Amino acid sequence: DGRRVHVEGPKGKLDLEIPARVEASVNGNQIVFTRKGDTGQDKAMHGLARSLVNNMVVGATQGFQKKLEINGVGFKANVQGKILNLSLGYSHPIKYPIPDGIKITVDDNTKVTVDGIDKQLVGAVAADIRGFYPPEPYKGKGVKYADEIIRRKEGKTAQSK
């Protein structure tokens, strides 16, 4: 009916209901999107549908990955079954349940890798983990993306009389 898109690949299966203002059809080995009008909303939904289906194809064939780094004395992470256990300097460990469709691996207790086929879910899980202790600008402690650059601040200086 031009509304439902189903993508299968070596990594898994994904489904999507495309927006009402856009129709999809298969033309050979391509998916062609057509919009019903020329309004700004129609153009936006056209681009959104194309981008979402492209992300589904890339996810089902190659998968997506986000890398995080943990900086700080005594800060560490490990995976126990379907739970990510984070020690981030709080009085209690943080236990993050790993959602279905996501694989988390930890190297050297400080390098966390989030893998999955759904780009939105991979990004959301990585953002959740980073949100427990975002990097701070004075000592650089916290959880940051591997490619993120933290601008450091100088801090206070003692005044002389």
Side-chain angles (χ1 to χ4, degrees):
D1 61 353
R3 301 258 54 82
R4 197 124 196 77
V5 177
H6 177 77
V7 176
E8 266 186 63
K11 297 268 185 184
K13 305 175 187 177
L14 292 169
D15 282 310
L16 174 72
E17 182 87 23
I18 61 172
R21 297 171 178 255
V22 180
E23 289 183 357
S25 60
V26 178
N27 186 3
N29 64 349
Q30 292 182 333
I31 301 174
V32 179
F33 293 96
T34 55
R35 57 181 178 252
K36 295 187 177 172
D38 246 1
T39 66
Q41 181 86 21
D42 290 339
K43 291 178 182 179
M45 290 298 123
H46 181 244
L48 173 71
R50 191 216 64 79
S51 183
L52 289 175
V53 171
N54 183 53
N55 287 342
M56 287 170 55
V57 171
V58 171
T61 55
Q62 301 166 2
F64 291 101
Q65 185 178 73
K66 285 271 189 183
K67 293 179 183 272
L68 299 157
E69 293 176 356
I70 300 174
N71 296 322
V73 176
F75 286 21
K76 60 187 177 186
N78 60 11
V79 177
Q80 298 169 335
K82 290 290 282 173
I83 304 243
L84 175 67
N85 198 352
L86 298 163
S87 298
L88 299 176
Y90 296 119
S91 61
H92 58 285
I94 297 168
K95 296 185 183 309
Y96 182 76
I98 301 171
D100 293 337
I102 294 292
K103 180 179 170 235
I104 296 181
T105 54
V106 178
D107 297 327
D108 302 333
N109 287 335
T110 59
K111 293 180 178 24
V112 179
T113 306
V114 181
D115 287 308
I117 62 170
D118 187 352
K119 185 175 188 177
Q120 183 178 358
L121 186 59
V122 169
V125 168
D128 285 347
I129 294 169
R130 182 184 182 275
F132 290 127
Y133 201 121
E136 54 98 6
Y138 295 101
K139 291 185 177 178
K141 293 177 7 178
V143 181
K144 71 179 190 85
Y145 295 113
D147 57 355
E148 184 178 13
I149 297 170
I150 306 300
R151 294 201 48 195
R152 300 289 296 272
K153 291 184 178 177
E154 193 174 314
K156 291 183 182 179
T157 55
Q159 293 182 353
S160 60
K161 291 186 179 184

